[in-house]
């Protein structure tokens, strides 16, 4: 899963007593700082770490992947809604060309690098004997259609891109709905209706496949509630912050408790095959994510150095997600400790290379564009 918006350091104190950061300008905007929010990077690190854990040891951590994906979806909804609302609040409209252009520049360079690696491994070297799938794999990956039934999906090595497809399909619709609701002053009501509609669509899909519930795992209708709860969390962030515990001790207890509960839940098995997961579990984890964002989004610095690895992992989380599923498959899904460690090590190596070779230079170029336009 990708980072959905650059995390810039806050330019205002946020909401007193809550640890929640108020919306901030995007990097490159006048007066915007260039730093990142360490709390959100740590949350990204938690999410992608759960995915890596599941891919490394699926028999032991069977629920880690679905938990990590849900956290990513909720965080994505929160961040993207913030980007869109800054447009609406400043100019009264969403600059769709700019919005989708920024997304293209954020998502495609690391994706193209990963797909180049895929073409070499499975096309040129034909590691898995599936070289004939290269063309349809590239088409499915680049058009974000891997999660649409009936269309060619290509190699299983990139099937985890269904999450990217679900998000991009959602963001073709959500900006239009958000702008429409904003103009009419129906933001919260319309968002609540959208959450209910997403759960209803998921329920209909479940009824169509019961008892084979796992078939809906990668469908577009299965994760809309997680994205929308993240969107709702941003729109109602002040109300959320006011209702959360205010004292430092209570805030710390909530954060530690939620993270501990998520980590404990990783050892559950078969969540994706249960109806209750999609109708109750996904919303619950998305709400927990919104609560965590409300706290950690306001961190100016990490409260402990023990979180530095999570921040580092969160910084390269998009590329790590892109590469990990393929690398694990290329290694033959190793089930021993050495094989799992090798898969994670190669993933981190590829993600770090992607960050330095592609993502960081593109981000710097994007940040300079407004300055050049103003000159």
């Amino acid at each position: 899963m990708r980072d959905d918006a650059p995390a810039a350091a806050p330019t205002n104190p946020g909401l007193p007593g809550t640890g929640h950061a108020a919306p901030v300008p995007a990097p490159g905007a006048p007066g915007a700082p260039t730093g990142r929010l360490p709390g959100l990077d740590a949350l990204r690190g938690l999410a992608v770490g759960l995915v890596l854990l599941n891919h490394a040891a699926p028999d032991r951590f069977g629920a880690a992947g679905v938990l990590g994906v849900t956290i990513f979806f909720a965080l994505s909804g929160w961040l993207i809604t913030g980007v869109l609302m800054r447009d609406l609040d400043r100019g009264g409209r969403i600059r769709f060309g700019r919005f989708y252009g920024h997304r293209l520049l954020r998502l495609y360079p690391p994706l193209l690098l990963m797909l180049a690696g895929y073409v070499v491994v499975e096309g040129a070297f034909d590691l898995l004997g599936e070289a004939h799938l290269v063309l349809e794999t590239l088409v499915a990956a680049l058009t974000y259609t891997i999660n649409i039934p009936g269309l060619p999906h290509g190699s299983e090595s990139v099937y985890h891109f269904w999450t990217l497809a679900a998000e991009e399909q959602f963001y073709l619709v959500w900006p239009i709905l958000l702008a429409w609701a904003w103009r009419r002053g129906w933001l919260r009501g319309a968002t609540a209706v959208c959450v209910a509609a997403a759960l209803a669509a998921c329920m209909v899909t479940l009824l169509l496949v019961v008892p084979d519930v796992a078939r809906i795992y990668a469908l577009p209708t299965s994760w809309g509630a997680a994205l929308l709860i993240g969107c709702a969390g941003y729109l109602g962030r002040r109300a959320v912050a006011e209702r959360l515990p205010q004292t430092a001790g209570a805030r710390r207890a909530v954060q530690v408790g939620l993270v501990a509960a998520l980590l404990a839940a990783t050892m559950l098995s078969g969540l994706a095959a249960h109806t209750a997961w999609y109708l109750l579990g996904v919303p619950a984890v998305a709400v927990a994510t919104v609560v965590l964002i409300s706290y950690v989004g306001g961190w100016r610095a990490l409260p402990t150095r023990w979180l530095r690895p999570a921040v580092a992992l969160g910084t390269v989380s998009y590329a790590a997600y892109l590469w990990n599923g393929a690398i694990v498959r290329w290694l033959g899904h190793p089930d021993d400790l050495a094989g799992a460690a090798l898969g994670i090590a190669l993933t981190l190596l590829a993600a770090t290379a992607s960050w330095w070779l592609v993502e960081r230079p593109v981000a710097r170029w994007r940040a300079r564009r407004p300055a050049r336009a103003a000159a």
Side-chain angles (χ1 to χ4, degrees), residues 341-362:
L342 177 61
I344 292 176
L346 291 175
T347 296
L348 296 180
L349 179 63
T352 302
S354 177
W355 169 255
W356 286 103
L357 296 175
V358 175
E359 295 177 69
R360 198 164 181 260
V362 171

Side-chain angles (χ1 to χ4, degrees), residues 150-190:
L151 294 181
H153 298 154
S155 171
E156 289 294 321
S157 300
V158 301
Y159 190 66
H160 57 293
F161 287 12
W162 69 263
T163 57
L164 310 182
E167 289 191 358
E168 294 319 299
Q169 292 155 12
F170 178 79
Y171 292 127
L172 290 176
V173 178
W174 175 241
I176 298 171
L177 291 175
L178 183 68
W180 177 84
W182 180 84
R183 292 190 184 97
R184 287 158 178 77
W186 297 347
L187 279 176
R188 293 190 183 183

Side-chain angles (χ1 to χ4, degrees), residues 9-14 19-22 36-39 295-303:
T11 55
N12 52 52
H20 174 80
R36 297 175 65 96
L37 287 175
Y295 284 130
V296 307
W299 289 352
R300 306 295 183 89
L302 292 175

Side-chain angles (χ1 to χ4, degrees), residues 168-233:
E168 294 319 299
Q169 292 155 12
F170 178 79
Y171 292 127
L172 290 176
V173 178
W174 175 241
I176 298 171
L177 291 175
L178 183 68
W180 177 84
W182 180 84
R183 292 190 184 97
R184 287 158 178 77
W186 297 347
L187 279 176
R188 293 190 183 183
T191 304
V193 170
C194 287
V195 172
L199 289 172
C202 183
M203 186 179 297
V204 169
T205 310
L206 284 165
L207 292 173
L208 291 175
V209 301
V210 166
D212 191 8
V213 173
R215 286 172 57 194
I216 81 162
Y217 179 64
L219 295 184
T221 54
S222 303
W223 303 91
L227 285 155
L228 284 162
I229 287 171
C231 299

Side-chain angles (χ1 to χ4, degrees), residues 12-22 237-242 246 251 294:
N12 52 52
L15 302 177
T18 66
H20 174 80
R237 63 198 182 282
R238 289 179 174 81
V240 171
E242 289 168 359
Q246 302 284 321
R251 286 159 51 188
S294 298

Side-chain angles (χ1 to χ4, degrees), residues 28-152:
T34 58
R36 297 175 65 96
L37 287 175
L40 295 188
D41 276 334
L43 192 55
R44 291 185 182 99
L46 170 64
V48 78
L50 293 177
V51 173
L52 300 186
L53 191 64
N54 173 252
H55 288 171
D59 293 336
R60 297 180 182 85
F61 303 102
V66 294
L67 291 169
V69 163
T70 307
I71 293 170
F72 263 127
F73 279 139
L75 179 58
S76 171
W78 198 93
L79 289 168
I80 291 299
T81 300
V83 171
L84 297 171
M85 285 302 300
R86 282 194 286 273
D87 255 8
L88 289 170
D89 289 338
R90 290 173 182 174
R93 64 184 181 89
I94 292 174
R95 294 171 292 177
F96 289 98
R98 183 175 185 273
F99 173 69
Y100 290 115
H102 278 191
R103 292 190 65 73
L104 186 69
L105 287 173
R106 172 67 185 97
L107 302 178
Y108 257 43
L111 178 62
L112 291 173
L113 180 62
M114 185 275 161
L115 290 175
Y118 158 76
V119 170
V120 171
V121 173
E122 295 197 27
F125 293 112
D126 199 12
L127 178 66
L128 303 177
E130 297 178 350
H132 63 284
L133 295 177
V134 167
L135 180 58
E136 69 179 54
T137 299
L138 294 177
V139 172
L142 293 172
T143 58
Y144 297 112
T145 55
I146 282 179
N147 65 336
I148 297 180
L151 294 181

